[in-house]
Amino acid sequence: MGVALPPPAPRRWFRHAIALATFVLMVYLSARILREWPLPLPAQESAQESKPWEPKPPPGALTAPSLSPGVLSGCRPGAQSCIPEGPLPLQVRHESGLLVAPGWEEPQCLGPQGMLGRMTRSFRASLKPEGDVELSQYLAGWRELVRFLTPLGSIVAFAASEAFIKVTALEARVQGPDAAHYTSLATMVAWEHRAGLLEPPGTAPRDSAQASGSRTLLLLHRALRWSQLCLHRVATGTLGGPDAGVQCGDAYRTALAPHHPWLIRQAARLAFLALPSRDRLLELACPAAGEADARAALAGAAGILEQVYNRTQDLLAGHGLLQLA
């Protein structure tokens, strides 16, 4: 007796739903980019993969001090796809880190020529010993993170382009006539507070191209949290468990969905299902490396992002700026 196959209509509807969701998100992000930053995107740099994007970060990498872990409430120990209940804590617990065995040899993707290596070195160097965040290194790390995110599909690439515009806007301040006030997160916040440049909490400026550097950094900060969660869950996901699209979608609901309207949250839920598979993401993160090495490298990168997120979260919370946007 033959087995009846499910009708193809639901499968066709699912494919069309993902395409429609991606389209809705791209329209939404396009509208935000045109409204907030009415300047053209810089021309794509033609530098080879082995060269970091300009502007080059200043020499010298500082070692990040250890941070006291916070508590991520609502999560079961060992859960791979956990969304905490209630408000986010000031810090996230240290769930990421380099997962290696004794005698492990660092893959090329973490070396001087690797994208993950350049990204992690810049972000690590942004953690100043006195507890501040150096903006030039932070933005250099973000540039490499944008390069990594861009090939992950149309919706992630579009979001990465929005992040790139914010990075460029902050770089204009770091290198502009008031550069002395934009060397670090703390100096920037103090200067913008004294100069009356901070927007009232929860209000968007009419011309977002003139938004304060603190508001722009807060938006990058939220996106960094999504990136850290997504990379960590891809690196540590179990065989046969949720795929990358599901886990990065969970990360979106934790980090970014609370700040987006309902329609965009629903569209994002479907659009993230179109992300590449876990194997493909590991290949993009660490080319020519085995799965174990790629997972270890990605987990280590997520650990650095987690340290930067926690430091930035503490500083923004201390100045009462978490609701600035």
Side-chain angles (χ1 to χ4, degrees):
M1 180 169 54
V3 178
L5 296 176
R11 294 195 297 271
R12 287 200 302 269
W13 177 90
F14 185 70
R15 290 196 299 269
H16 295 328
I18 290 181
L20 178 61
T22 302
F23 174 75
V24 170
L25 284 168
M26 291 179 69
V27 170
Y28 171 74
L29 291 174
S30 297
R32 287 190 60 183
I33 289 173
L34 292 175
R35 183 181 74 249
E36 295 188 2
W37 307 98
L39 299 174
L41 274 171
Q44 186 174 2
E45 300 174 48
S46 58
Q48 296 181 353
E49 177 67 21
S50 61
K51 293 182 64 180
W53 290 9
E54 296 295 332
K56 295 181 179 179
L62 303 177
T63 303
S66 60
L67 299 173
S68 58
V71 178
L72 192 59
S73 62
C75 293
R76 301 188 314 274
Q80 294 296 334
S81 181
C82 175
I83 304 175
E85 299 175 354
L88 288 177
L90 292 185
Q91 289 192 345
V92 299
R93 68 178 175 86
H94 287 266
E95 57 186 10
S96 305
L98 199 59
L99 309 175
V100 299
W104 181 72
E105 185 175 346
E106 182 178 88
Q108 291 185 355
C109 63
L110 289 178
Q113 308 304 322
M115 188 184 304
L116 281 185
R118 295 195 302 267
M119 181 187 77
T120 55
R121 280 193 300 278
S122 294
F123 274 125
R124 185 187 291 112
S126 74
L127 297 169
K128 302 181 71 174
E130 61 270 26
D132 205 351
V133 174
E134 185 177 332
L135 289 181
S136 61
Q137 294 283 11
Y138 179 87
L139 296 173
W142 249 111
R143 279 181 167 260
E144 294 300 332
L145 179 56
V146 167
R147 294 186 70 178
F148 171 73
L149 294 176
T150 299
L152 302 188
S154 56
I155 184 58
V156 178
F158 229 83
S161 70
E162 189 179 12
F164 178 78
I165 294 174
K166 290 178 173 59
V167 169
T168 303
L170 271 179
E171 285 176 335
R173 296 177 183 272
V174 171
Q175 301 168 1
D178 294 322
H181 303 296
Y182 288 90
T183 57
S184 71
L185 194 158
T187 58
M188 174 182 69
V189 171
W191 157 252
E192 292 188 337
H193 180 73
R194 292 195 307 269
L197 299 177
L198 296 177
E199 300 85 358
T203 61
R206 288 185 176 182
D207 182 6
S208 294
Q210 302 301 320
S212 66
S214 301
R215 186 180 192 274
T216 302
L217 187 135
L218 173 61
L219 298 176
L220 285 175
H221 172 66
R222 292 170 180 168
L224 188 72
R225 173 61 170 151
W226 171 79
S227 302
Q228 179 266 321
L229 284 173
C230 179
L231 297 189
H232 170 73
R233 292 173 182 180
V234 168
T236 60
T238 57
L239 184 64
D243 206 356
V246 174
Q247 296 190 310
C248 291
D250 284 351
Y252 167 82
R253 287 194 290 274
T254 298
L256 294 175
H259 310 286
H260 290 167
W262 180 87
L263 179 61
I264 300 307
R265 295 198 301 269
Q266 303 311 308
R269 183 175 62 87
L270 290 174
F272 274 112
L273 298 180
L275 254 62
S277 66
R278 185 192 314 279
D279 291 343
R280 177 59 178 156
L281 287 180
L282 291 173
E283 181 183 353
L284 290 170
C286 209
E291 179 181 351
D293 285 346
R295 282 175 176 263
L298 202 60
I304 298 299
L305 297 187
E306 187 177 57
Q307 294 179 46
V308 174
Y309 174 85
N310 281 341
R311 173 76 64 83
T312 308
Q313 181 83 354
D314 262 355
L315 290 169
L316 291 174
H319 289 89
L321 297 179
L322 291 178
Q323 304 302 321
L324 190 60

